[in-house]
Amino acid sequence: MENLPDYIKINKQTWNSKTDIHIDSDFYDVKSFLAGKSTLNQIELALLGNLSNKKILHLQCHFGQDSLSLSRMGAKVVGVDFSDKAIEKAKAFNTKLGLDAAFICCDVYDTTTHLDEQFDIVFTSYGTIGWLPDLDKWAQVISHFLKPKGTFIMADFHPVVWMYDNDFKEVFYSYFNIEPIIEEELGTYANKEASISNQTIGWNHPISEIVNALIENGLEINCLNEYDYSPYNCLNEMEEFEPNKFRIKTFGNKIPLVYSIKATKK
């Protein structure tokens, strides 16, 4: 890590450059969202349950669609993201929709210096922890903000997915977290033709690393689920086999694409 470039600065620039493109994309379908469509998927909804009057901390919330969807379900939500441009947009959508969510711009690891309260639920989903080098610090943040017997819920892309090259023709990276993954990215998953080019720095975290980080920081795993599909058409070589369910064409149902975790603070 000592020779690693400033990954927060580099990744923040990347996500700032993506924000307007994502908001304008069909992928995020902001028009339907503003008209009332929830952006949450059945995978996470099944774990979240009744959210009426629940306090939720949403880590790495991008420009707030999921945070605001949670707010529409009756939760009191605080969303956190390190992209100032995304948080600015999240606040604007919150005002436009007349909701009462709050948004904080900071790195995940610094959340404890910006917020002093506890929550019924800490939530994170899809494309989040791969931007973080240290899952022990991440799990410390989750434990810090959960009330006793509070619930942590996450859904994310399976680390098996990140082993492959972009076209899923060969195993390119290790399943295990052995080194940073530094890439040059053209376009973005929400608009592959977008005329942007960015460097990204990420990490692949195996399931064992994720689960053990949570356990070691006082959380009890209630369930770990794996899914042979993605609710998003965001990778190359995907096909829709059922409405809003996508798989890699050549792999079919042979590999996991998404996992979810529910855990309780002891």
Side-chain angles (χ1 to χ4, degrees):
M1 287 287 291
E2 55 270 11
N3 296 321
L4 185 69
D6 186 344
Y7 75 93
I8 294 176
K9 180 180 179 181
I10 289 170
N11 289 337
K12 180 177 178 177
Q13 289 173 344
T14 294
W15 283 96
N16 274 343
S17 70
K18 288 181 176 184
T19 298
D20 283 340
I21 292 169
H22 286 185
I23 288 172
D24 290 339
S25 70
D26 292 339
F27 182 92
Y28 279 97
D29 193 9
V30 168
K31 182 178 179 180
S32 295
F33 164 70
L34 291 174
K37 181 182 177 182
S38 174
T39 57
L40 298 164
N41 304 294
Q42 187 55 40
I43 289 172
E44 54 266 30
L45 287 170
L47 298 178
L48 286 163
N50 184 353
L51 298 183
S52 181
N53 298 316
K54 297 288 188 181
K55 290 179 62 180
I56 298 180
L57 175 62
H58 182 192
L59 299 177
Q60 295 171 275
C61 67
H62 198 20
F63 61 89
Q65 282 186 308
D66 284 1
S67 304
L68 296 170
S69 292
L70 293 167
S71 181
R72 281 169 164 164
M73 294 173 67
K76 180 72 174 177
V77 182
V78 177
V80 174
D81 199 274
F82 73 163
S83 166
D84 52 299
K85 194 159 191 177
I87 288 296
E88 178 185 317
K89 297 294 186 181
K91 289 178 177 179
F93 285 138
N94 181 63
T95 300
K96 185 179 182 72
L97 293 170
L99 298 171
D100 66 350
F103 292 95
I104 297 171
C105 182
C106 70
D107 178 59
V108 171
Y109 297 145
D110 292 336
T111 308
T112 54
T113 66
H114 293 264
L115 187 62
D116 183 23
E117 57 184 297
Q118 288 191 306
F119 295 82
D120 301 294
I121 297 170
V122 175
F123 175 68
T124 192
S125 66
Y126 302 104
T128 55
I129 62 171
W131 304 106
L132 305 176
D134 187 335
L135 289 196
D136 184 64
K137 287 176 65 176
W138 167 78
Q140 286 175 25
V141 170
I142 292 164
S143 183
H144 174 87
F145 283 110
L146 278 176
K147 296 177 180 178
K149 300 188 183 301
T151 304
F152 171 63
I153 291 170
M154 76 177 296
D156 208 340
F157 297 104
H158 202 285
V160 164
V161 171
W162 307 127
M163 295 169 61
Y164 291 89
D165 67 290
N166 287 340
D167 294 322
F168 293 91
K169 296 189 183 303
E170 64 174 313
V171 173
F172 202 72
Y173 298 107
S174 174
Y175 176 77
F176 300 99
N177 182 11
I178 58 173
E179 61 184 357
I181 298 171
I182 302 175
E183 296 181 301
E184 294 292 334
E185 179 186 60
L186 297 174
T188 172
Y189 59 86
N191 181 353
K192 295 182 174 64
E193 306 305 317
S195 57
I196 58 169
S197 175
N198 291 293
Q199 186 181 72
T200 61
I201 302 177
W203 291 263
N204 202 13
H205 299 290
I207 294 293
S208 57
E209 183 186 358
I210 300 162
V211 167
N212 287 331
L214 295 169
I215 291 171
E216 289 166 9
N217 285 280
L219 277 76
E220 181 178 277
I221 305 300
N222 304 128
C223 66
L224 166 61
N225 300 313
E226 295 173 290
Y227 301 87
D228 63 1
Y229 71 92
S230 163
Y232 301 107
N233 182 15
C234 58
L235 303 169
N236 291 341
E237 307 302 322
M238 295 194 103
E239 63 180 355
E240 188 173 24
F241 69 97
E242 290 181 12
N244 300 313
K245 291 185 178 182
F246 303 88
R247 289 174 176 157
I248 308 302
K249 294 175 187 176
T250 55
F251 292 165
N253 64 352
K254 295 176 182 176
I255 68 167
L257 292 182
V258 164
Y259 69 94
S260 65
I261 292 174
K262 182 177 182 179
T264 303
K265 182 177 177 180
K266 295 178 182 178

